[in-house]
Amino acid sequence: MRQLFFAFALCVIACLTPSASADPLEINYAEHVIACVSAAGGDEGALNACQGAASQPCMDAPSGESTIGMVMRLGAEGEAWGSLMAAAQSRLATARPDTTEALLSAQEQWREYGDAECNYRVARWGEGSGAQVAYAGCWANLTADRAIALIVIEKLGD
């Protein structure tokens, strides 16, 4: 728990620096998310607490509420979770080659579901600027959820 707090504190400090608010992509979102996930180990509750660990403090900071800033921050965090998801998928496929085909099928169907779900959330916004934020947030959240699910499955297999 102490490591999780430390990772979260680093995210907050990074977001409060002038350079972080000037360019949201100067923050290494992957580094922050990975640090949080590493500190969480396989604990699902702690892993869930990592969602938004890098992007939310930045969006809560002064000047962090612009549409483009939110989209960039959520997109970067979503990419970080996507990398974690791909790594967990690869490790699961290596550990259990007999289930690789089923895992790949599940991942493909998950992506289809994610795309449909995020498009639905965007449709609820209409064509306003909030639609971009809704899509980026949806994709980041769903990707984090799936990455966490794979990480937990992987830890259960240990």
Side-chain angles (χ1 to χ4, degrees), residues 36-128:
C36 188
V37 167
S38 294
D43 180 76
E44 190 170 0
L47 287 165
N48 283 321
C50 292
Q51 290 193 45
S55 63
Q56 193 60 52
C58 295
M59 290 189 295
D60 292 342
S63 77
E65 68 280 347
S66 73
T67 300
I68 190 66
M70 287 189 282
V71 170
M72 291 173 71
R73 288 173 176 105
L74 290 166
E77 184 153 331
E79 287 178 20
W81 282 107
S83 294
L84 288 168
M85 179 177 63
Q89 176 184 329
S90 178
R91 290 188 302 268
L92 284 167
T94 300
R96 292 286 311 271
D98 57 317
T99 65
T100 299
E101 188 175 321
L103 175 60
L104 294 176
S105 176
Q107 286 299 98
E108 182 179 321
Q109 290 176 35
W110 172 83
R111 282 185 187 86
E112 290 174 11
Y113 160 76
D115 192 41
E117 176 65 21
C118 292
N119 283 330
Y120 164 67
R121 293 184 191 183
V122 166
R124 292 176 42 211
W125 276 92
E127 295 183 25

Side-chain angles (χ1 to χ4, degrees), residues 42 92 103 146-158:
L92 284 167
L103 175 60
R146 184 62 180 161
I148 290 167
L150 293 179
I151 291 167
V152 169
I153 290 168
E154 181 183 11
K155 295 298 179 186
L156 291 174
D158 286 347

